[in-house]
Amino acid sequence: MIKEVVKTVVKNERQQSKIVHHPIRSGQQVYAADGDLIIMASVSAGAEILADGNIHVYGALRGRK
């Protein structure tokens, strides 16, 4: 008995990073689709930051406890 083997190759595209240089204020939402989110400013309480990859914040990150 002969079995047929099917080989599937999945090609992943390189993820793009979204870099934000301005403060994210309360009520704002920032989303990085298919990549990382890098914020080089402060994030106020009430703001929402989302990413399909990693999130990096190099500034004050304020929120509720």
Side-chain angles (χ1 to χ4, degrees):
M1 179 175 208
I2 298 174
K3 293 185 179 180
E4 184 176 329
V5 176
V6 178
K7 186 176 182 179
T8 304
V9 177
V10 177
K11 184 177 179 181
N12 291 332
E13 293 186 22
R14 186 169 184 239
Q15 292 183 349
Q16 296 294 319
S17 296
K18 181 174 187 175
I19 302 174
V20 178
H21 293 282
H22 58 83
I24 311 299
R25 296 182 177 180
S26 180
Q28 287 184 312
Q29 183 184 61
V30 179
Y31 174 58
D34 297 327
D36 295 347
L37 176 60
I38 302 169
I39 300 176
M40 306 292 289
S42 62
V43 179
S44 297
E48 189 173 10
I49 51 176
L50 305 158
D52 289 337
N54 299 305
I55 298 174
H56 303 265
V57 178
Y58 298 101
L61 179 59
R62 298 180 184 95
R64 293 182 286 181
K65 294 181 180 181

